[in-house]
Amino acid sequence: MSRKPLSLAVASILMAAPALADVPRVAVDIAPVHSLVARVMDGVGEPALIVPPGASPHSHSLRPSEAAALQEADLVVWMGADLTPWLESAIRTLAGDAQVISLLAAEGTELLQFRQGALFEAHEHEGDDDHDHAHDDHGHDDHDHGHDDHDHGHDDHDHGHDDHAHGDHDPHAWLSPENAALWLNGIASALSAADPENAGAYFANAAAGREELAALSDEIEAMLAPVRDRRFIVFHDAYQYFEHDFDLSAAGAISLSDASDPSPARIAEIQARVAEEGVTCVLSEPQFDPGIVAAVMDGTTARTAVLDPLGSSLAPGPALYPQMLRGLANALVGCLSEG
């Protein structure tokens, strides 16, 4: 039997399939953002992840494969220098010809300023003054480095925001599903401009992703409703975007950042808050010393659970982002539930 017809059939199929070379090469900084980009690219291509699961986005050192992904990228999607200041020069050096999208600077993104002090008193009563919206897709001009309303003299609590060197805005904005839904469209627009042939797929994926996030937000709202009025302590102040979207209120943070251990004075403040307000939940994170949480909880009946704001234990891909948000909600409900 002749093999020629089969070979011709295979050749015709390959010619009809979209060329992989036509799909933009995309590099993304952290796993949650990578998940959003992967959702938009689903069925078309796969983005490269720069900061691997479990690594700190504030201080990661590029491996050769990650540097290569940046160098080959047509499009780079990252949160911005407020989260990964070390990546700014790498993008400029290695991905100079790529289009770069900073999500913290994307128009419409809701930005929250840093909370100050172990117990968040600095902005507790400032209302809408805590919120800002980015209007510059191409730079970091929305980050005012001269805001005197941020008192950086709390040295007894920790060492300031040196790990977030570029601005006053809290960079953990991916923990707001409202922000994430907004970004899906911007990601689809950038991909479509680079790859018009697949524009329909990108925008259809973005629309489906927004619907999924809306349904997930409703699900999380229902999960958190029974425990919404209960107070909890987080390990470091990374969750205010999640709190803002779901009307929660942390009572304080053990550590100012994830780059340094809390001082004894700060731990004492948190211990006093736990005792005075009857806080029943103290939350840790996978990479932190559980002994510090144990010290805060010593002598109390508070429970503990682990929050993972980066989805470190999850497989990278389109499913990671919703799994991560659902995991945060499940951990909070388990820790705050009575009995």
Side-chain angles (χ1 to χ4, degrees), residues 45-116:
E46 295 182 6
L49 176 61
I50 300 301
V51 181
S56 170
H58 305 305
S59 58
H60 179 60
S61 296
L62 279 180
R63 298 182 297 193
S65 60
E66 296 154 2
L70 278 176
Q71 196 162 26
E72 295 168 1
D74 302 304
L75 173 66
V76 176
V77 183
W78 69 320
M79 287 303 301
D82 284 8
L83 181 72
T84 52
W86 57 271
L87 188 54
E88 187 171 35
S89 61
I91 291 173
R92 186 167 53 246
T93 302
L94 298 172
D97 295 330
Q99 180 185 1
V100 179
I101 297 176
S102 170
L103 296 179
L104 288 173
E107 185 172 359
T109 297
E110 180 158 32
L111 299 175
L112 304 177
Q113 292 180 340
F114 281 111
R115 296 184 285 198
Q116 299 293 315

Side-chain angles (χ1 to χ4, degrees), residues 30-51:
I30 59 172
V33 176
H34 175 271
S35 179
L36 296 174
V37 177
R39 181 67 185 90
V40 177
M41 297 185 73
D42 192 28
V44 181
E46 295 182 6
L49 176 61
I50 300 301
V51 181

Side-chain angles (χ1 to χ4, degrees), residues 1-304:
M1 178 177 175
S2 172
R3 296 179 180 275
K4 188 173 181 181
L6 178 60
S7 298
L8 290 173
V10 171
S12 65
I13 291 171
L14 290 175
M15 290 175 65
L20 290 179
D22 292 337
V23 176
R25 291 165 296 187
V26 185
V28 189
D29 57 353
I30 59 172
V33 176
H34 175 271
S35 179
L36 296 174
V37 177
R39 181 67 185 90
V40 177
M41 297 185 73
D42 192 28
V44 181
E46 295 182 6
L49 176 61
I50 300 301
V51 181
S56 170
H58 305 305
S59 58
H60 179 60
S61 296
L62 279 180
R63 298 182 297 193
S65 60
E66 296 154 2
L70 278 176
Q71 196 162 26
E72 295 168 1
D74 302 304
L75 173 66
V76 176
V77 183
W78 69 320
M79 287 303 301
D82 284 8
L83 181 72
T84 52
W86 57 271
L87 188 54
E88 187 171 35
S89 61
I91 291 173
R92 186 167 53 246
T93 302
L94 298 172
D97 295 330
Q99 180 185 1
V100 179
I101 297 176
S102 170
L103 296 179
L104 288 173
E107 185 172 359
T109 297
E110 180 158 32
L111 299 175
L112 304 177
Q113 292 180 340
F114 281 111
R115 296 184 285 198
Q116 299 293 315
L119 308 179
F120 303 156
E121 298 90 346
H123 298 299
E124 204 165 65
H125 303 295
E126 292 182 8
D128 291 338
D129 290 342
D130 287 348
H131 308 291
D132 200 358
H133 295 272
H135 298 289
D136 182 0
D137 286 332
H138 305 289
H140 306 287
D141 294 337
D142 59 316
H143 304 298
D144 183 353
H145 298 268
H147 283 193
D148 294 332
D149 58 322
H150 291 286
D151 182 1
H152 296 283
H154 295 278
D155 291 338
D156 56 322
H157 301 318
D158 258 324
H159 303 291
H161 294 301
D162 291 341
D163 57 323
H164 308 292
H166 280 253
D168 295 321
H169 294 122
D170 183 339
H172 303 87
W174 71 88
L175 292 180
S176 161
E178 292 185 7
N179 278 339
L182 171 77
W183 296 337
L184 287 173
N185 252 11
I187 293 165
S189 295
L191 287 167
S192 296
D195 180 18
E197 289 187 9
N198 287 306
Y202 296 137
F203 279 110
N205 286 340
R210 289 196 305 275
E211 290 179 4
E212 292 160 6
L213 287 178
L216 177 61
S217 293
D218 290 342
E219 176 189 338
I220 292 175
E221 285 279 0
M223 291 170 62
L224 294 173
V227 299
R228 181 163 283 119
D229 60 343
R230 296 173 193 170
R231 306 298 295 279
F232 56 93
I233 299 290
V234 295
F235 195 98
H236 93 286
D237 188 19
Y239 304 97
Q240 65 167 325
Y241 288 95
F242 188 86
E243 296 169 44
H244 179 258
D245 274 23
F246 296 107
D247 195 24
L248 298 168
S249 180
I254 296 172
S255 180
L256 184 64
S257 76
D258 60 357
S260 60
D261 288 337
S263 66
R266 189 180 183 98
I267 290 178
E269 278 190 274
I270 294 293
Q271 286 175 323
R273 171 63 63 93
V274 170
E276 292 166 5
E277 297 199 4
V279 172
T280 59
C281 174
V282 180
L283 295 152
S284 184
E285 292 179 32
Q287 70 272 35
F288 291 119
D289 180 3
I292 298 175
V293 173
V296 170
M297 296 172 60
D298 187 38
T300 76
T301 59
R303 292 179 292 275
T304 188

